[in-house]
Amino acid sequence: MQNSSMKLLIKNAKLVLAEKILEADLLIDEGKIAKIDTQINATNTAVLNAHGKYILPGGIDPHVHLALSTPNGFSADDFETGSRAALAGGTTTFIDFITPKKGQNLIEAYHQRLAEVKLCACDYAFHMSIIEWRKGIQEEMEACVKECGINSFKTYLAYQETIGIQFDELEKVMQVAKLLNAMVTIHAEMGDTIDQLRTKALKYKQVDSIYHAKTRPDYTEYQAIEKIIELVRKTKCRTYIVHVSTAESLNKIAQAQNEKLPIFAETCPQYFTFNASVYQKADPENLGFIMSPPIRTEENRLGIEKHISLGTVSTLGTDHCPFTLAQKQKGTNFAEIPNGAGGIQERLSIFYSRFVHNKQLTFNAMASLIAKNAAALFQLPNKGEIAVGFDADLVVWEEKAQKVKDQKLYSSGDLIIYANEIIQGKTDIVIKNGEIVYQNGILKTDLAGGRYIFRK
Ligand code: URP
Ligand code: ZN
């Protein structure tokens, strides 16, 4: 395989550009897209014949939790294994999170998190979590934007006992973010209601995994979104709702978008792939679906599909946060089981198979949802599109019907919720920073390090 400082000429490609498919050649030089033309001839250049295959921009996953610290230990993928899984699945850039401790200075938390990034093969950025409102936080938010290149702030309305905040605190975060022209991203679940339902379920010994879902009913998401929309109307802050899981939430977001409010929605493959029947699966399979929000009814699943097709949803994230079976099995009731599942390697192929293969959406729409929109919303420079001057992060796509588990999977999570899903297409070749990193189903072993992206 070649390396990133060399030139690479890709011949006979179907380039998935923002608005059209262009049959052309593409020249990469020094990790950047140097030229796109119907016919490019170059000497002393490695040549890759794409044989008329579609080429997508490298995926950008705006929502991943690598090495996430929880009471049950760290999430199973660290930056090394998670980024390897990402690359194999066609994701070349992701945005992870910084979660400060209570009272901790945000900039100190940023430096701590940066030090945790080891052997990360993707380019990466962070959302800064605001887990409390306190004196000095406004100035620290400003420093995040100006000194650290972090212009998105994550808030949780769930998890009130640990990192969650109340709506009045959220409003203050939104006011400051508006002044800084930053984005506020929100985990939208009514935390207090959920806590009451969980306490009651545990009191009545309702401990099985289905009670994870029953204690986080649909309305706890769309009621939170209703209140958030009021705050967007009031503050005009750019606001992004992560992992939207119900049809009604998206109906409300669509109405707000019609009003031209600056509100954006992310969903994740699990919410259009599965329905709540997964909680009837035998142990330990059902444990993989303990995540928040939970998997919803079939009606909701269809609603998510509809709103993806309608354009209400801007981005496809994964909320990648796998745990091992051993970690999940430590829980003696649903409330003790760590929340989260993996999906970073599966994201593109699951999306392709449900929407593009059957011609419900175009490759161009796929490129927007998996890369371009995240780059635009979160201001990732030179990312998310196939255009001259952009980073040469590219995915050669191949039609191939197989089960997810029939390919080499790179995540350290051993509870793979998509394992038996039949996909219709997958990454053939992945190019990161001008270098071929994945080919013939195998990832290169000596991968170059990714870089931290300072956003502005
Ligand atoms: O279940 C989930 N989503 N786990 C990851 C942490 C979060 O809530 O985003
Ligand atoms: Zn998350």
Side-chain angles (χ1 to χ4, degrees):
M1 290 191 188
Q2 41 68 256
N3 66 50
S4 66
S5 57
M6 289 167 64
K7 286 186 182 180
L8 176 65
L9 174 61
I10 306 178
K11 301 284 293 178
N12 308 314
K14 284 196 182 116
L15 302 175
V16 181
L17 306 186
E19 306 297 341
K20 60 178 180 180
I21 305 290
L22 183 70
E23 296 194 21
D25 297 347
L26 180 150
L27 181 68
I28 297 170
D29 193 9
E30 297 285 331
K32 299 272 181 205
I33 299 172
K35 191 172 179 187
I36 296 173
D37 214 331
T38 39
Q39 179 87 34
I40 303 175
N41 296 309
T43 47
N44 294 329
T45 303
V47 178
L48 174 71
N49 192 337
H51 296 291
K53 288 183 181 159
Y54 288 93
I55 299 191
L56 288 153
I60 299 172
D61 189 337
H63 188 162
V64 309
H65 301 275
L66 301 175
L68 176 75
S69 174
T70 79
N72 300 64
F74 286 93
S75 54
D77 276 322
D78 58 18
F79 283 86
E80 180 180 11
T81 61
S83 63
R84 292 176 67 82
L87 284 183
T91 289
T92 47
T93 302
F94 53 69
I95 314 182
D96 198 281
F97 296 85
I98 300 166
T99 312
K101 306 260 180 307
K102 284 242 156 76
Q104 187 180 24
N105 179 287
L106 301 183
I107 308 306
E108 181 191 307
Y110 158 75
H111 288 294
Q112 240 171 40
R113 188 64 172 153
L114 264 189
E116 286 167 13
V117 181
K118 305 225 165 63
L119 300 172
C120 182
C122 289
D123 292 341
Y124 58 96
F126 293 116
H127 304 288
M128 174 62 77
S129 305
I130 304 296
I131 63 155
E132 61 190 343
W133 186 260
R134 58 167 168 75
K135 195 166 172 295
I137 203 133
Q138 174 162 356
E139 293 73 21
E140 291 168 35
M141 285 173 69
E142 189 174 348
C144 284
V145 174
K146 295 192 174 147
E147 294 167 25
C148 312
I150 296 176
N151 54 22
S152 52
F153 296 96
K154 172 77 181 282
T155 57
Y156 296 84
L157 294 168
Y159 313 135
Q160 285 296 320
E161 283 179 6
T162 51
I163 53 176
I165 59 171
Q166 295 285 339
F167 284 96
D168 59 334
E169 297 175 294
L170 174 62
E171 182 173 344
K172 290 178 188 147
V173 175
M174 290 168 78
Q175 279 163 349
V176 174
K178 170 69 187 166
L179 290 175
L180 296 170
N181 194 25
M183 180 80 90
V184 169
T185 80
I186 308 177
H187 177 134
E189 286 188 300
M190 300 290 278
D192 290 337
T193 312
I194 289 169
D195 287 345
Q196 284 162 17
L197 292 169
R198 280 158 71 91
T199 305
K200 195 166 161 201
L202 293 173
K203 182 173 163 199
Y204 291 105
K205 306 272 178 289
Q206 296 170 327
V207 293
D208 296 343
S209 62
I210 183 73
Y211 288 99
H212 170 74
K214 286 194 170 170
T215 55
R216 308 183 98 86
D218 300 15
Y219 66 84
T220 57
E221 182 180 86
Y222 64 72
Q223 284 180 357
I225 286 173
E226 237 165 44
K227 283 172 161 259
I228 291 165
I229 291 170
E230 277 311 307
L231 294 180
V232 180
R233 202 174 276 123
K234 199 166 162 187
T235 63
K236 306 283 182 292
C237 172
R238 290 194 307 129
T239 302
Y240 175 100
I241 316 293
V242 300
H243 51 43
V244 180
S245 64
T246 77
E248 186 56 14
S249 298
L250 287 172
N251 292 340
K252 290 184 188 305
I253 291 170
Q255 280 166 16
Q257 289 172 342
N258 278 340
E259 255 185 74
K260 302 277 180 273
L261 294 180
I263 185 163
F264 308 95
E266 166 198 282
T267 193
C268 310
Q270 57 268 34
Y271 300 116
F272 60 76
T273 303
F274 304 108
N275 65 32
S277 65
V278 294
Y279 295 109
Q280 312 296 345
K281 287 180 190 273
D283 272 351
E285 231 189 308
N286 64 68
L287 301 180
F289 296 94
I290 303 277
M291 62 179 77
S292 298
I295 303 298
R296 306 290 188 182
T297 58
E298 178 63 9
E299 197 186 345
N300 279 306
R301 195 194 67 71
L302 291 168
I304 302 281
E305 270 193 359
K306 181 186 92 179
H307 278 289
I308 288 174
S309 296
L310 288 175
T312 313
V313 173
S314 297
T315 64
L316 185 71
T318 54
D319 200 5
H320 182 83
C321 190
F323 290 92
T324 62
L325 181 56
Q327 284 174 300
K328 291 259 186 187
Q329 281 180 325
K330 271 194 200 142
T332 58
N333 63 55
F334 73 86
E336 291 176 357
I337 298 168
N339 281 208
I344 205 166
Q345 185 168 348
E346 296 90 335
R347 181 176 71 125
L348 270 58
S349 48
I350 292 285
F351 182 87
Y352 171 83
S353 308
R354 194 161 292 264
F355 291 96
V356 184
H357 178 74
N358 63 11
K359 305 216 173 352
Q360 209 174 314
L361 285 175
T362 61
F363 261 110
N364 307 84
M366 174 170 170
S368 293
L369 280 151
I370 59 125
K372 180 174 175 247
N373 294 349
L377 289 172
F378 295 113
Q379 291 153 291
L380 296 159
N382 299 325
K383 295 281 186 198
E385 282 185 65
I386 299 179
V388 171
F390 275 56
D391 291 352
D393 298 341
L394 301 164
V395 178
V396 182
W397 198 252
E398 99 175 300
E399 284 273 326
K400 188 169 184 177
Q402 62 177 54
K403 280 193 174 173
V404 164
K405 66 182 179 190
D406 293 337
Q407 57 191 312
K408 179 161 173 50
L409 297 172
Y410 285 89
S411 168
S412 294
D414 53 2
L415 254 180
I416 299 149
I417 61 172
Y418 300 105
N420 289 308
E421 291 301 306
I422 296 171
I423 51 171
Q424 303 295 337
K426 65 177 290 295
T427 48
D428 180 19
I429 296 171
V430 179
I431 296 169
K432 163 80 184 58
N433 195 27
E435 184 181 0
I436 295 175
V437 292
Y438 177 87
Q439 200 168 16
N440 302 322
I442 299 291
L443 201 59
K444 207 173 165 233
T445 44
D446 55 332
L447 293 165
R451 66 191 166 86
Y452 173 70
I453 303 173
F454 189 100
R455 296 182 282 140
K456 43 185 170 185

